[in-house]
Every structure is written in C-alpha cells, then in structure tokens.
Amino acid sequence: DIQMTQSPSTLSASVGDRVTITCRASQSISGWLAWYQQKPGKAPKLLIYDASSLESGVPSRFSGSGSGTEFTLTISSLQPDDFATYYCQLYNSYPTWTFGQGTKVEIK
Amino acid sequence: EVQLVQSGAEVKKPGESLKISCKGSGYSFTNYWIGWVRQMPGKGLEWMGIIYPGDSDTRYSPSFQGQVTISADKSISTAYLQWSSLKASDTAMYYCARHSGSSSGTDYWGQGTLVTVSS
C-alpha cells in the first residue's frame, strides 16, 4: 500500500507569511491528490483536487502543485482564518483513499 | 444545494451494535460514491470504506475490513455504517463524504457523528 507522509507535522507562522506543506508518497501515485483544511469540531473542507485544481469558492491564496511522489500545498499570504490542520489525500478511480497524517498550522 | 446529513451522536456500551446514517440531498444520490472516514479524538483522518449506492458496489480499507459494514438504501438516499459489536476503541467522530470517482474528488462532507463507547 502507498503511504502518504506530510511534513512538517506542525508549523508555526505569522499572518502574511508564505506557507508550504509537503506530502510525499512512498511510491509514484496512480491516481490524484487532494488537500483539505479542517478546523476543530468541523468536517474537512476540500481546497485543492487533482493536485493543482482550486475548488470553487476557495481563496486564490491557496495553490497546489506536484506530481509523481511529491506534492505541495502553498498558502501565499497566511490569513487569520487559515490557522487549521491540513491533510493531503491520495484517491483513485477504484476508488480507494489514503490520507496523510496532517499538518497543524499554528500562530507564531 | 448538496447536503449530507448524518444521524446524531450515540453513546453505547462495549458489545452493543450500532448503525449510523448519512442522508444525501440536492444531487443524484445513485451517481456518486459515499465514503466513510474515522477520526479518533485528537488524531487524523482514516479512510474506512466506500459504497456506490447505484449498485451497492463496496470497497473497504484493509484496516476496517470485517470490523464494520457499509450499506446504502438508494430509495431513501441514505448510506449506513454499522458495527455488530462495539469496542471502546471505536470511540471517534465518523464522517461521510461524497466522492465522484474521478479527478474531482471528495467535495461534500457530512457534519460528523460522534460515537462514544464506554461501560
């Protein structure tokens, strides 16, 4: 089974900072990669699908990139509403899902 | 408006059975997969399995195969997750989510059902 490893596990940043979260697959993926934001007590929210496609309604400061085994989520200018936990998800057409372990973005 | 509405919180004893639900509305329920995700207290997201209500085709994560049963009743646009014998370690929030089966991914999530198993 493919394992998805996110880094860092925790990230401390300030409002206005550029933030990058990485998701690495244990082998080259056959499928697609999504990114989610989750706030305490809430369901995850889809931000990016197919590695780089921005979900409708998501602010353009969020972007995704990557292919093969390495993917990144970038927040170009961190806003107060962005402090949350972020997860990557590998999914395919079978379909099966695999989540990364999460990255918590904290206020510095 | 697409909505997935899950059943309410449950408090159960070890060994009891449980079935929680996820009702879809605002879209063609039979044309999208419904997946289930576990989140234990303070932990990350774990994929449990997924069902296609159109024909009840079901897949399970190896970690959850044999531990839970996923089903759906397309006549009432509802998917289910059930346990025959709960354990304390089943205490968690459970989410359902809609999945296209294509590159557009998992776009709508239920609000979650908190299951607490305690003697």
Side-chain angles (χ1 to χ4, degrees), chain A residues 2-85:
Chain A
I2 296 178
Q3 307 300 315
M4 307 300 289
T5 303
Q6 284 183 237
S7 60
S9 297
T10 306
L11 185 161
S12 296
S14 301
V15 172
D17 284 353
R18 182 181 181 87
V19 165
T20 298
I21 299 168
T22 299
C23 184
R24 288 188 176 87
S26 56
Q27 62 191 78
S28 185
I29 70 167
S30 173
W32 304 283
L33 198 285
W35 290 96
Y36 297 87
Q37 176 193 70
Q38 188 181 32
K39 296 182 178 179
K42 299 293 187 181
K45 173 188 174 183
L46 178 64
L47 301 175
I48 302 286
Y49 62 92
D50 196 12
S52 60
S53 297
L54 190 69
E55 175 70 355
S56 176
V58 174
S60 59
R61 63 181 179 272
F62 292 93
S63 64
S65 64
S67 63
T69 62
E70 187 159 326
F71 300 85
T72 58
L73 172 70
T74 299
I75 309 172
S76 60
S77 177
L78 198 65
Q79 298 302 301
D81 192 48
D82 301 338
F83 292 97
T85 300

Side-chain angles (χ1 to χ4, degrees), chain B residues 43-60:
Chain B
K43 302 299 184 183
L45 305 173
E46 301 173 88
W47 176 63
M48 302 176 73
I50 196 165
I51 188 166
Y52 191 74
D55 61 7
S56 293
D57 189 8
T58 308
R59 319 253 187 272
Y60 291 94

Side-chain angles (χ1 to χ4, degrees), chain B:
Chain B
E1 178 195 7
V2 174
Q3 284 191 306
L4 294 174
V5 178
Q6 297 185 229
S7 50
E10 302 274 2
V11 179
K12 292 288 191 179
K13 291 183 167 41
E16 291 186 331
S17 63
L18 176 64
K19 192 174 190 177
I20 62 174
S21 66
C22 170
K23 183 173 176 60
S25 62
Y27 73 99
S28 177
F29 188 72
T30 54
N31 287 352
Y32 289 80
W33 295 81
I34 294 288
W36 288 93
V37 173
R38 183 176 79 175
Q39 188 166 39
M40 299 177 77
K43 302 299 184 183
L45 305 173
E46 301 173 88
W47 176 63
M48 302 176 73
I50 196 165
I51 188 166
Y52 191 74
D55 61 7
S56 293
D57 189 8
T58 308
R59 319 253 187 272
Y60 291 94
S61 161
S63 298
F64 291 92
Q65 178 84 49
Q67 307 305 307
V68 297
T69 301
I70 293 170
S71 60
D73 185 342
K74 61 184 179 182
S75 69
I76 55 172
S77 301
T78 301
Y80 301 97
L81 176 66
Q82 68 180 85
W83 296 259
S84 59
S85 181
L86 286 160
K87 311 183 214 26
S89 58
D90 293 317
T91 294
M93 182 70 83
Y94 293 88
Y95 293 103
C96 64
R98 186 183 87 156
H99 182 76
S100 66
S102 69
S103 63
S104 54
T106 310
D107 53 359
Y108 286 90
W109 292 66
Q111 82 277 19
T113 296
L114 180 63
V115 174
T116 303
V117 184
S118 175
S119 55

